[in-house]
Amino acid sequence: MSSSVKGMRDLWGDELRWFRRIEETAHRVFGAHGYREIRTPILEYTEVFKRSVGDSSDIVAKEMYEFLDKGDRSVTMRPENTAGVVRAMVDHKLLVNNDPQLLYYMGPMFRYERMQAGRYRQFWQIGAESFGVASPESEVESLAMLFDFLQGLGLKSLSLSLNSVGTPESRPAFNAAFRAFFDARADRFCEDCHRRIETNPMRILDCKNPGCQAALEGHPTIVEFLDDASKAHHTRLKELLTTLDIPFTENSRLVRGLDYYTRTAFEVLSSDLGAQSALLGGGRYDGLVKQLGGPDTPAFGWAIGLDRLAMVLKQLHGEAPFEPAPLLIPLGEAASAKALQLAREWWSAGLRVQLETRGCPLKKSLQSANRMGMKLALILGDGEFEKGTLAVKHLETGAQEEWAWNDVPSRLKG
Ligand code: AMP
């Protein structure tokens, strides 16, 4: 065995430190909003995704890690986490009282994707879902949290791209108008779009094919065909965003890739790396909980990919701040017992110290410390042991000094 599975990679070093930074920021910011973490299994019965994400989506049609387990049940490694979270909410009957349930998750997702830069077959997402509230206020609360999270990570040039995809009730009117528009120039659309006009016409709006995008010029927009309640919802949402100074633009071609979205659909755009690009998307999915066998429950949520976010942060800020702990090197048996004792005191005082436990020659320890990028070696030899001190070597400069044991906490903090 010489390599990891195609599309799956190890996380370590600087990239993992960025992941940790992102995750810690998420726990802090989401916790402040009252969101609680949920962790669902990586394997779910395939039905969970087929019934939620939708058979016509690329994810279900082409990208699922789906197999029969030893009991011949079809299971799938989660390609996203919303379906699993909803399944859990329904299983635990957490939605029956109509209390708002604010939840977030983070973890690995799996999609059998074509290989390309920045796309992996195991990748990570963080997402937040709010259940039980249909109001535009709940959407703005979630979006404000998302902006605080991204700004907390040092992203600055953020804006929202916004659309409403209407409701199952208002969609037939749009579909009819769009069908007429499509039929009048059908030869300009790609084969996939010809399939979509039958299965999910809205999806034509975000076809990646430049020819289709050109053919869409002047298309009927979903917003024109909204029912009154959805129209009022959309207007109120925009007013609230303006009140909070969250910048947005309307984008009539923005539709989410999954079948269960209703009303608000959005993406967050960033121009922190030059050209504006989408960092993530999300929206309202009022139909999903019922579709998965739960009570009729409105919901709003989003998910962001960590792989790409970590890459953006690295490009913006360089390496994630990191300093290896100093290495405490005892020389001889008596010193090594004392070093364990001292280190334990310092660890419980919250200090960072790594202990050399190999009992090897000093030279070898110092070479390892250099290779690991350590800045300080704290050496406890016979002479120091007797005086209650340490010989402290600054590995970058070679300078050496002596610290009393008692002074170590304040010195290390300095
Ligand atoms: P989606 O669930 O497709 O809307 O994607 C949500 C987030 O997950 C986006 O921010 C994507 O960048 C990220 N994402 C989706 N698929 C992959 C993948 N194969 N590799 C890395 N990130 C992904």
Side-chain angles (χ1 to χ4, degrees):
M1 295 297 272
S2 59
S3 67
S4 64
V5 171
K6 192 170 166 188
M8 305 196 175
R9 71 200 196 287
D10 305 306
L11 286 177
W12 59 288
D14 188 54
E15 188 179 22
L16 183 59
R17 282 194 284 280
W18 275 119
F19 268 59
R20 285 272 306 263
R21 246 324 245 292
I22 295 167
E23 289 166 0
E24 283 158 13
T25 307
H27 288 301
R28 177 171 56 75
V29 174
F30 303 171
H33 280 243
Y35 282 62
R36 300 177 189 190
E37 191 182 5
I38 181 165
R39 300 188 190 193
T40 65
I42 282 168
L43 274 187
E44 297 275 358
Y45 289 120
T46 301
E47 269 312 293
V48 172
F49 304 111
K50 290 213 164 141
R51 281 169 64 192
S52 59
V53 181
D55 283 323
S56 72
S57 69
D58 281 356
I59 295 179
V60 170
K62 303 184 211 151
E63 297 171 356
M64 295 215 298
Y65 274 91
E66 178 183 350
F67 55 91
L68 293 179
D69 70 8
K70 290 186 196 297
D72 269 344
R73 282 167 296 244
S74 178
V75 291
T76 293
M77 290 165 74
R78 62 185 190 195
E80 55 92 55
N81 212 162
T82 299
V85 170
V86 172
R87 196 268 313 133
M89 293 278 94
V90 173
D91 276 0
H92 304 300
K93 302 194 169 40
L94 289 170
L95 300 171
V96 289
N97 294 322
N98 276 323
D99 293 327
Q101 294 282 355
L102 306 179
L103 296 165
Y104 71 97
Y105 60 81
M106 50 182 77
M109 311 296 155
F110 303 84
R111 293 183 198 173
Y112 198 83
E113 296 230 33
R114 232 167 9 92
M115 298 308 298
Q116 48 179 310
R119 304 296 279 188
Y120 304 96
R121 291 181 174 175
Q122 173 170 342
F123 61 99
W124 276 258
Q125 286 186 340
I126 290 185
E129 321 278 9
S130 103
F131 294 100
V133 199
S135 67
E137 282 77 358
S138 76
E139 297 173 6
V140 175
E141 181 275 321
S142 171
L143 291 168
M145 179 170 87
L146 173 56
F147 269 62
D148 291 347
F149 165 60
L150 295 172
Q151 283 164 348
L153 287 166
L155 293 170
K156 294 191 186 75
S157 319
L158 299 171
S159 75
L160 208 56
S161 177
L162 205 60
N163 197 13
S164 173
V165 297
T167 60
E169 293 74 38
S170 73
R171 224 163 278 149
F174 165 77
N175 285 350
F178 189 73
R179 173 105 220 187
F181 174 85
F182 182 90
D183 287 345
R185 45 185 73 61
D187 54 330
R188 295 177 62 195
F189 286 96
C190 72
E191 213 176 293
D192 279 344
C193 286
H194 280 268
R195 191 173 41 78
R196 290 180 187 125
I197 195 73
E198 306 303 336
T199 55
N200 191 356
M202 244 174 18
R203 291 303 316 275
I204 295 173
L205 294 172
D206 74 343
C207 178
K208 298 289 170 288
N209 189 321
C212 298
Q213 282 300 315
L216 281 167
E217 188 62 36
H219 70 87
T221 66
I222 308 170
V223 171
E224 293 170 77
F225 292 91
L226 291 180
D227 54 283
D228 289 345
S230 297
K231 210 171 271 174
H233 182 103
H234 197 55
T235 305
R236 174 75 172 154
L237 171 65
K238 291 186 285 181
E239 284 166 7
L240 293 169
L241 289 171
T242 306
T243 308
L244 288 196
D245 288 326
I246 296 179
F248 65 89
T249 50
E250 290 199 69
N251 177 356
S252 65
R253 297 188 190 184
L254 196 163
V255 293
R256 299 289 302 147
L258 309 176
D259 290 352
Y260 48 65
Y261 288 98
T262 52
R263 290 191 174 164
T264 307
F266 75 89
E267 286 182 346
V268 174
L269 307 176
S270 158
S271 47
D272 280 283
L273 290 181
Q276 209 175 48
S277 63
L279 270 182
L280 78 148
R284 174 163 290 288
Y285 52 97
D286 288 351
L288 180 64
V289 178
K290 196 161 181 203
Q291 201 171 307
L292 280 177
D296 206 354
T297 306
F300 181 85
W302 45 263
I304 185 165
L306 263 75
D307 309 74
R308 169 117 197 286
L309 181 58
M311 193 184 75
V312 170
L313 293 174
K314 187 183 172 74
Q315 282 175 25
L316 273 181
H317 307 301
E319 301 223 326
F322 173 68
E323 201 182 306
L327 187 65
L328 175 57
I329 310 170
L331 303 174
E333 224 169 88
S336 70
K338 186 69 202 172
L340 269 166
Q341 232 181 349
L342 288 170
R344 193 133 189 247
E345 268 172 41
W346 298 333
W347 290 326
S348 45
L351 298 174
R352 299 170 66 231
V353 175
Q354 184 174 325
L355 191 59
E356 170 63 273
T357 52
R358 290 178 294 183
C360 59
L362 178 60
K363 191 168 163 209
K364 190 168 169 182
S365 296
L366 292 175
Q367 283 167 342
S368 296
N370 273 316
R371 279 195 293 266
M372 290 187 288
M374 291 164 160
K375 298 219 165 71
L376 281 183
L378 312 175
I379 304 160
L380 183 60
D382 289 340
E384 290 83 22
F385 191 123
E386 263 155 42
K387 286 186 279 177
T389 63
L390 296 170
V392 176
K393 197 170 168 75
H394 295 262
L395 294 170
E396 282 171 326
T397 60
Q400 200 155 321
E401 52 184 325
E402 195 162 342
W403 295 356
W405 294 341
N406 284 339
D407 293 343
V408 170
S410 60
R411 294 281 201 145
L412 284 185
K413 275 180 187 143

